[in-house]
Amino acid sequence: QVQLVESGGGLVQPGGSLRLSCAASGSIFRINSMDWYRQAPGKERELVAGIRGVGSTNYADSVKGRFTISRDNAKNTVYLQMNSLKAEDTAVYYCSAGITTKVLMTRTYWGQGTQVTVSS
């Protein structure tokens, strides 16, 4: 079994910063990709940023230049550094990972979500 545990959400003022973390644990053979999604009230879940095994990254246009995704392979952890936060960044942020387990089954796993609220 595999678990993803997110942390780092909270309340921050506009223009502030937060750093989200997502740690994967369990029967992991290989992590193929790790992504951050978010879902605001009344909206669909959207991809915010992703990082692949070779280190390539991609970002939603709305966060380019403000958010940075990174990964610590030794810790099976992905981070999302969020700077210059805006009210429209308010959402529940979810970590997602494409993982091959030790029995060589591959699927996508999701974390429980962490709330980010940007408000003065």
Side-chain angles (χ1 to χ4, degrees):
Q1 191 58 277
V2 172
Q3 299 83 37
L4 299 181
V5 178
E6 299 129 334
S7 60
L11 173 64
V12 64
Q13 292 186 343
S17 298
L18 280 176
R19 188 194 195 205
L20 305 183
S21 301
C22 172
S25 63
S27 181
I28 298 171
F29 173 70
R30 183 180 63 240
I31 299 178
N32 306 305
S33 61
M34 299 189 86
D35 302 285
W36 286 99
Y37 285 78
R38 68 186 179 187
Q39 188 166 20
K43 294 188 177 181
E44 294 186 355
R45 190 172 297 190
E46 63 172 351
L47 177 66
V48 176
I51 186 165
R52 299 297 172 259
V54 296
S56 61
T57 59
N58 59 283
Y59 297 92
D61 288 343
S62 60
V63 307
K64 283 181 181 177
R66 300 188 297 122
F67 291 10
T68 302
I69 189 170
S70 61
R71 179 174 161 178
D72 185 332
N73 291 328
K75 296 181 179 180
N76 287 338
T77 298
V78 65
Y79 304 97
L80 185 67
Q81 178 67 43
M82 305 185 293
N83 299 329
S84 302
L85 283 161
K86 306 174 181 180
E88 49 264 44
D89 294 317
T90 295
V92 178
Y93 284 70
Y94 297 91
C95 174
S96 171
I99 293 175
T100 300
T101 65
K102 291 181 180 178
V103 294
L104 301 183
M105 293 187 67
T106 299
R107 54 160 283 193
T108 300
Y109 294 85
W110 290 86
Q112 80 285 358
T114 185
Q115 177 70 46
V116 171
T117 302
V118 184
S119 175
S120 56

